[in-house]
Amino acid sequence: MANFENILGIETSCDETAAAIVVAGKTIRSSVVSSQIDIHARYGGVVPEIASRAHVELLTPVVAQAVVEAGIENEEVDAVAATYGPGLIGSLLVGVSAAKALSLVWDVPYVAVNHLEGHLYASFLEEPELELPLVVLLVSGGHTQLIHMKGHGDYDVLGSTLDDAAGEAFDKVARYLGLGYPGGPAIDALAMEGDPEAISFPRAMRNDGLDFSFSGLKTSVVNHVRKNPDVDAADVAASFQEAVADVLVAKARRAVKQVGATGLAIGGGVAANSRLREAVLDACTEDGLQAFLPSRAMCTDNAAMIAAAGWHRLHSDGPSRIDQGAESSVRL
Ligand code: KG4
Ligand code: ZN
């Protein structure tokens, strides 16, 4: 098989329009992320129809910028990888169609990438020597999963959320507290000024299995604020964040022990959370585990992680068929 060097990654699964050039699944030559946050903020969340229209407008200049910043010519792109799911179907279609068109025009392979697999590969971009097997705590706006990464492309899902994803809980609580969208970074910032022990919010299923549940916690926050209208919002944010981090870390530690892994990595937008990062580091130090915390830019949606996962997919499975389309709800 050819040695696909320069992979163009394209990511449009939600509200970031992103493109990147990554060499051999490891070295980032460019990573451009154009966020649509300002477009959606006034609606308090992502509006799917507006997101797909914005991707149509933004994708061409974002791809061009990624190629220019990488210092290569279009002819030097060896393959095009795009997120095909999970995500918003209209948004996914924009990236997938563009990737297929470029692969046909440039006569290079197209590879369809699972967005969740992309998040798993974010750690490898910054720690190329990362050793498998590994447990990855994948926490984003749409997913909360504990994954046993046994080898490249070889995963067991050990636990998942039964209701809300961790990021969804951050976004819903932030909206209730009037902190706007996106909620995760807003709660993270406000929590810095609050007391994480001020309110003892419930830790659902903390000591029970590897699945998660966050909808009860969200309801508890709402009930607490209703009963105590003068409560300090910073204390609510810090106590809520503490409860989420506590459950995530307790389960991740249990998962690592259960499968006998030696390392724990985190990924997905919520992995950018300051308190979660601190708690993961503390737990790994205490348990003698290697901790892998991608930079914040690699935790949230980007195309470099898609290019990296695409490179591994190309080498394991070869190119995707050109009729491999977008799918809104694929699993890992
Ligand atoms: O991975 P991501 O960028 O997109 C999805 O694939 O969902 O994750 C977005 C989620 C949002 O729910 C956002 O509020 C959350 O990640 N998030 C955070 C932080 N930064 C982003 N949650 C907590 N603390 C943060 N600092
Ligand atoms: Zn994501």
Side-chain angles (χ1 to χ4, degrees):
M1 152 125 15
N3 225 0
F4 304 106
E5 278 290 299
N6 293 319
I7 310 276
L8 166 65
I10 293 180
E11 157 62 37
T12 62
S13 67
C14 190
D15 62 340
E16 326 280 357
T17 312
I21 300 284
V22 176
V23 182
K26 288 192 184 119
T27 313
I28 303 176
R29 289 184 81 146
S30 64
S31 178
V32 181
V33 180
S34 172
S35 171
Q36 302 177 7
I37 283 179
D38 295 345
I39 304 176
H40 300 285
R42 78 185 84 151
Y43 304 104
V46 179
V47 183
E49 178 61 26
I50 294 177
S52 18
R53 284 166 192 263
H55 285 305
V56 170
E57 280 175 24
L58 294 166
L59 190 54
T60 305
V62 164
V63 167
Q65 191 182 339
V67 173
V68 168
E69 283 186 10
I72 62 169
E73 302 292 330
N74 289 343
E75 295 74 39
E76 292 172 84
V77 171
D78 296 311
V80 185
T83 301
Y84 78 100
L88 302 170
I89 191 66
S91 292
L92 290 165
L93 277 167
V94 178
V96 162
S97 309
K100 288 179 180 181
L102 290 174
S103 105
L104 290 171
V105 171
W106 293 340
D107 193 22
V108 295
Y110 153 69
V111 56
V113 174
N114 182 314
H115 180 80
L116 302 175
E117 188 168 47
H119 276 303
L120 295 184
Y121 275 93
S123 294
F124 287 86
L125 283 166
E126 291 175 331
E127 295 274 355
E129 306 312 321
L130 201 63
E131 277 175 30
L132 297 172
L134 188 71
V135 167
V136 187
L137 172 66
L138 183 52
V139 272
S140 70
H143 296 85
T144 299
Q145 293 190 323
L146 273 165
I147 294 151
H148 184 201
M149 194 170 177
K150 296 181 285 184
H152 290 288
D154 184 11
Y155 319 112
D156 281 339
V157 177
L158 303 169
S160 300
T161 183
L162 303 177
D163 40 59
D164 290 354
E168 201 178 345
F170 269 96
D171 293 337
K172 286 178 177 171
V173 165
R175 188 187 299 190
Y176 182 71
L177 295 177
L179 302 177
Y181 161 86
I187 290 196
D188 198 342
L190 183 61
M192 306 259 179
E193 295 151 34
D195 174 4
E197 286 168 16
I199 309 151
S200 167
F201 286 124
R203 270 83 164 147
M205 301 162 61
R206 184 185 186 279
N207 303 316
D208 171 22
L210 295 177
D211 286 331
F212 303 88
S213 166
F214 291 109
S215 75
L217 172 58
K218 174 195 63 196
T219 310
S220 294
V221 172
V222 171
N223 289 341
H224 186 89
V225 175
R226 272 199 193 128
K227 275 191 211 135
N228 306 274
D230 297 327
V231 67
D232 181 358
D235 284 346
V236 176
S239 302
F240 160 76
Q241 178 176 273
E242 188 65 23
V244 176
D246 182 32
V247 174
L248 291 175
V249 172
K251 298 215 177 221
R253 283 172 109 158
R254 189 154 351 107
V256 170
K257 280 203 191 98
Q258 186 172 307
V259 300
T262 53
L264 173 64
I266 56 176
V270 181
N273 184 263
S274 316
R275 178 64 192 120
L276 177 63
R277 296 171 78 86
E278 191 180 74
V280 165
L281 272 183
D282 289 349
C284 287
T285 306
E286 214 168 283
D287 293 355
L289 300 170
Q290 285 186 284
F292 300 101
L293 284 70
S295 63
R296 285 183 165 79
M298 277 302 129
C299 289
T300 48
D301 288 349
N302 65 86
M305 66 183 197
I306 302 304
W311 184 82
H312 284 279
R313 273 285 153 212
L314 259 179
H315 284 89
S316 61
D317 303 351
S320 302
R321 289 163 47 124
I322 206 76
D323 61 358
Q324 160 82 65
E327 286 176 51
S328 61
S329 51
V330 275
R331 290 160 177 269
L332 197 61

mmCIF file of all heavy atoms in Angstrom, residues 140-165:
data_model
loop_
_atom_site.group_PDB
_atom_site.id
_atom_site.type_symbol
_atom_site.label_atom_id
_atom_site.label_comp_id
_atom_site.label_asym_id
_atom_site.label_seq_id
_atom_site.Cartn_x
_atom_site.Cartn_y
_atom_site.Cartn_z
ATOM 1 N N SER A 140 -17.877 14.298 25.489
ATOM 2 C CA SER A 140 -18.132 15.428 24.585
ATOM 3 C C SER A 140 -19.564 15.909 24.767
ATOM 4 O O SER A 140 -20.247 15.529 25.719
ATOM 5 C CB SER A 140 -17.880 14.982 23.145
ATOM 6 O OG SER A 140 -18.894 14.087 22.756
ATOM 7 N N GLY A 141 -20.015 16.737 23.822
ATOM 8 C CA GLY A 141 -21.371 17.247 23.905
ATOM 9 C C GLY A 141 -22.410 16.167 23.630
ATOM 10 O O GLY A 141 -23.534 16.227 24.114
ATOM 11 N N GLY A 142 -22.023 15.178 22.856
ATOM 12 C CA GLY A 142 -22.984 14.139 22.484
ATOM 13 C C GLY A 142 -22.691 12.776 23.078
ATOM 14 O O GLY A 142 -23.544 11.887 23.009
ATOM 15 N N HIS A 143 -21.500 12.572 23.654
ATOM 16 C CA HIS A 143 -21.106 11.241 24.113
ATOM 17 C C HIS A 143 -20.375 11.263 25.441
ATOM 18 O O HIS A 143 -19.658 12.210 25.742
ATOM 19 C CB HIS A 143 -20.209 10.564 23.070
ATOM 20 C CG HIS A 143 -20.939 10.313 21.795
ATOM 21 N ND1 HIS A 143 -21.045 11.276 20.820
ATOM 22 C CD2 HIS A 143 -21.642 9.240 21.366
ATOM 23 C CE1 HIS A 143 -21.789 10.804 19.836
ATOM 24 N NE2 HIS A 143 -22.164 9.576 20.137
ATOM 25 N N THR A 144 -20.582 10.212 26.195
ATOM 26 C CA THR A 144 -19.810 9.983 27.416
ATOM 27 C C THR A 144 -19.543 8.497 27.433
ATOM 28 O O THR A 144 -20.461 7.695 27.608
ATOM 29 C CB THR A 144 -20.614 10.405 28.659
ATOM 30 O OG1 THR A 144 -20.894 11.803 28.532
ATOM 31 C CG2 THR A 144 -19.830 10.173 29.940
ATOM 32 N N GLN A 145 -18.292 8.134 27.168
ATOM 33 C CA GLN A 145 -17.969 6.715 27.069
ATOM 34 C C GLN A 145 -16.616 6.409 27.696
ATOM 35 O O GLN A 145 -15.712 7.244 27.675
ATOM 36 C CB GLN A 145 -17.885 6.286 25.593
ATOM 37 C CG GLN A 145 -19.212 6.343 24.875
ATOM 38 C CD GLN A 145 -19.157 5.689 23.491
ATOM 39 O OE1 GLN A 145 -18.164 5.794 22.807
ATOM 40 N NE2 GLN A 145 -20.223 5.032 23.114
ATOM 41 N N LEU A 146 -16.516 5.198 28.212
ATOM 42 C CA LEU A 146 -15.219 4.669 28.646
ATOM 43 C C LEU A 146 -14.847 3.611 27.629
ATOM 44 O O LEU A 146 -15.611 2.672 27.394
ATOM 45 C CB LEU A 146 -15.336 4.059 30.038
ATOM 46 C CG LEU A 146 -15.144 5.065 31.164
ATOM 47 C CD1 LEU A 146 -15.628 4.503 32.479
ATOM 48 C CD2 LEU A 146 -13.679 5.497 31.263
ATOM 49 N N ILE A 147 -13.703 3.792 26.985
ATOM 50 C CA ILE A 147 -13.304 2.902 25.896
ATOM 51 C C ILE A 147 -11.989 2.216 26.213
ATOM 52 O O ILE A 147 -11.032 2.877 26.648
ATOM 53 C CB ILE A 147 -13.178 3.709 24.590
ATOM 54 C CG1 ILE A 147 -14.570 4.215 24.192
ATOM 55 C CG2 ILE A 147 -12.606 2.852 23.458
ATOM 56 C CD1 ILE A 147 -14.565 5.472 23.447
ATOM 57 N N HIS A 148 -11.965 0.914 26.014
ATOM 58 C CA HIS A 148 -10.719 0.166 26.140
ATOM 59 C C HIS A 148 -10.131 0.110 24.738
ATOM 60 O O HIS A 148 -10.674 -0.558 23.868
ATOM 61 C CB HIS A 148 -11.022 -1.237 26.675
ATOM 62 C CG HIS A 148 -9.794 -2.047 26.919
ATOM 63 N ND1 HIS A 148 -9.802 -3.415 26.979
ATOM 64 C CD2 HIS A 148 -8.500 -1.672 27.135
ATOM 65 C CE1 HIS A 148 -8.571 -3.848 27.218
ATOM 66 N NE2 HIS A 148 -7.771 -2.813 27.321
ATOM 67 N N MET A 149 -9.048 0.845 24.531
ATOM 68 C CA MET A 149 -8.392 0.872 23.218
ATOM 69 C C MET A 149 -7.290 -0.182 23.256
ATOM 70 O O MET A 149 -6.220 0.046 23.805
ATOM 71 C CB MET A 149 -7.842 2.276 22.967
ATOM 72 C CG MET A 149 -7.449 2.522 21.554
ATOM 73 S SD MET A 149 -7.088 4.282 21.302
ATOM 74 C CE MET A 149 -6.579 4.250 19.596
ATOM 75 N N LYS A 150 -7.599 -1.333 22.689
ATOM 76 C CA LYS A 150 -6.675 -2.477 22.811
ATOM 77 C C LYS A 150 -5.578 -2.407 21.758
ATOM 78 O O LYS A 150 -4.464 -2.857 21.968
ATOM 79 C CB LYS A 150 -7.460 -3.787 22.659
ATOM 80 C CG LYS A 150 -8.473 -3.960 23.788
ATOM 81 C CD LYS A 150 -9.232 -5.262 23.657
ATOM 82 C CE LYS A 150 -10.249 -5.165 22.543
ATOM 83 N NZ LYS A 150 -11.098 -6.357 22.420
ATOM 84 N N GLY A 151 -5.930 -1.872 20.604
ATOM 85 C CA GLY A 151 -4.972 -1.714 19.503
ATOM 86 C C GLY A 151 -5.556 -0.674 18.576
ATOM 87 O O GLY A 151 -6.661 -0.175 18.815
ATOM 88 N N HIS A 152 -4.836 -0.350 17.494
ATOM 89 C CA HIS A 152 -5.371 0.631 16.556
ATOM 90 C C HIS A 152 -6.614 0.054 15.893
ATOM 91 O O HIS A 152 -6.576 -1.040 15.335
ATOM 92 C CB HIS A 152 -4.312 1.019 15.532
ATOM 93 C CG HIS A 152 -3.224 1.827 16.162
ATOM 94 N ND1 HIS A 152 -3.419 3.131 16.568
ATOM 95 C CD2 HIS A 152 -1.958 1.510 16.510
ATOM 96 C CE1 HIS A 152 -2.313 3.584 17.114
ATOM 97 N NE2 HIS A 152 -1.408 2.622 17.100
ATOM 98 N N GLY A 153 -7.714 0.758 16.020
ATOM 99 C CA GLY A 153 -8.971 0.308 15.421
ATOM 100 C C GLY A 153 -9.650 -0.814 16.179
ATOM 101 O O GLY A 153 -10.631 -1.377 15.706
ATOM 102 N N ASP A 154 -9.145 -1.160 17.372
ATOM 103 C CA ASP A 154 -9.676 -2.301 18.119
ATOM 104 C C ASP A 154 -10.151 -1.819 19.504
ATOM 105 O O ASP A 154 -9.335 -1.590 20.393
ATOM 106 C CB ASP A 154 -8.548 -3.343 18.264
ATOM 107 C CG ASP A 154 -9.030 -4.620 18.940
ATOM 108 O OD1 ASP A 154 -10.252 -4.783 19.104
ATOM 109 O OD2 ASP A 154 -8.165 -5.442 19.311
ATOM 110 N N TYR A 155 -11.463 -1.620 19.614
ATOM 111 C CA TYR A 155 -12.002 -1.001 20.829
ATOM 112 C C TYR A 155 -13.082 -1.845 21.489
ATOM 113 O O TYR A 155 -13.852 -2.506 20.806
ATOM 114 C CB TYR A 155 -12.670 0.349 20.513
ATOM 115 C CG TYR A 155 -11.932 1.187 19.524
ATOM 116 C CD1 TYR A 155 -12.446 1.433 18.254
ATOM 117 C CD2 TYR A 155 -10.699 1.732 19.859
ATOM 118 C CE1 TYR A 155 -11.752 2.191 17.340
ATOM 119 C CE2 TYR A 155 -9.998 2.499 18.954
ATOM 120 C CZ TYR A 155 -10.522 2.719 17.689
ATOM 121 O OH TYR A 155 -9.838 3.467 16.785
ATOM 122 N N ASP A 156 -13.152 -1.746 22.821
ATOM 123 C CA ASP A 156 -14.318 -2.239 23.559
ATOM 124 C C ASP A 156 -14.918 -1.040 24.273
ATOM 125 O O ASP A 156 -14.184 -0.311 24.947
ATOM 126 C CB ASP A 156 -13.892 -3.251 24.642
ATOM 127 C CG ASP A 156 -13.624 -4.622 24.058
ATOM 128 O OD1 ASP A 156 -14.139 -4.895 22.955
ATOM 129 O OD2 ASP A 156 -12.900 -5.397 24.698
ATOM 130 N N VAL A 157 -16.218 -0.848 24.137
ATOM 131 C CA VAL A 157 -16.863 0.206 24.912
ATOM 132 C C VAL A 157 -17.219 -0.393 26.271
ATOM 133 O O VAL A 157 -17.986 -1.351 26.354
ATOM 134 C CB VAL A 157 -18.107 0.754 24.179
ATOM 135 C CG1 VAL A 157 -18.801 1.802 25.032
ATOM 136 C CG2 VAL A 157 -17.694 1.365 22.835
ATOM 137 N N LEU A 158 -16.628 0.149 27.332
ATOM 138 C CA LEU A 158 -16.811 -0.416 28.674
ATOM 139 C C LEU A 158 -18.020 0.188 29.384
ATOM 140 O O LEU A 158 -18.632 -0.444 30.234
ATOM 141 C CB LEU A 158 -15.561 -0.167 29.525
ATOM 142 C CG LEU A 158 -14.239 -0.705 28.953
ATOM 143 C CD1 LEU A 158 -13.063 -0.156 29.755
ATOM 144 C CD2 LEU A 158 -14.228 -2.223 28.987
ATOM 145 N N GLY A 159 -18.332 1.405 29.056
ATOM 146 C CA GLY A 159 -19.466 2.074 29.704
ATOM 147 C C GLY A 159 -19.885 3.288 28.892
ATOM 148 O O GLY A 159 -19.080 3.869 28.166
ATOM 149 N N SER A 160 -21.158 3.656 29.018
ATOM 150 C CA SER A 160 -21.701 4.819 28.282
ATOM 151 C C SER A 160 -22.732 5.514 29.164
ATOM 152 O O SER A 160 -23.194 4.938 30.147
ATOM 153 C CB SER A 160 -22.458 4.373 27.033
ATOM 154 O OG SER A 160 -21.643 3.663 26.166
ATOM 155 N N THR A 161 -23.134 6.702 28.752
ATOM 156 C CA THR A 161 -24.182 7.361 29.528
ATOM 157 C C THR A 161 -25.547 6.759 29.190
ATOM 158 O O THR A 161 -25.807 6.364 28.052
ATOM 159 C CB THR A 161 -24.191 8.887 29.298
ATOM 160 O OG1 THR A 161 -25.204 9.454 30.150
ATOM 161 C CG2 THR A 161 -24.495 9.248 27.857
ATOM 162 N N LEU A 162 -26.379 6.670 30.215
ATOM 163 C CA LEU A 162 -27.719 6.128 30.022
ATOM 164 C C LEU A 162 -28.692 7.234 29.612
ATOM 165 O O LEU A 162 -29.789 6.960 29.159
ATOM 166 C CB LEU A 162 -28.207 5.470 31.319
ATOM 167 C CG LEU A 162 -27.296 4.351 31.858
ATOM 168 C CD1 LEU A 162 -27.837 3.823 33.172
ATOM 169 C CD2 LEU A 162 -27.166 3.209 30.845
ATOM 170 N N ASP A 163 -28.278 8.494 29.840
ATOM 171 C CA ASP A 163 -29.176 9.603 29.466
ATOM 172 C C ASP A 163 -28.369 10.745 28.853
ATOM 173 O O ASP A 163 -27.936 10.636 27.721
ATOM 174 C CB ASP A 163 -30.036 10.045 30.663
ATOM 175 C CG ASP A 163 -29.254 10.047 31.975
ATOM 176 O OD1 ASP A 163 -28.253 10.765 32.030
ATOM 177 O OD2 ASP A 163 -29.657 9.340 32.928
ATOM 178 N N ASP A 164 -28.142 11.833 29.609
ATOM 179 C CA ASP A 164 -27.426 12.985 29.044
ATOM 180 C C ASP A 164 -25.926 12.702 28.955
ATOM 181 O O ASP A 164 -25.369 12.013 29.810
ATOM 182 C CB ASP A 164 -27.616 14.215 29.945
ATOM 183 C CG ASP A 164 -29.031 14.750 29.893
ATOM 184 O OD1 ASP A 164 -29.828 14.242 29.080
ATOM 185 O OD2 ASP A 164 -29.336 15.674 30.670
ATOM 186 N N ALA A 165 -25.287 13.283 27.945
ATOM 187 C CA ALA A 165 -23.821 13.251 27.879
ATOM 188 C C ALA A 165 -23.297 14.297 28.869
ATOM 189 O O ALA A 165 -24.021 15.235 29.232
ATOM 190 C CB ALA A 165 -23.353 13.585 26.473
#
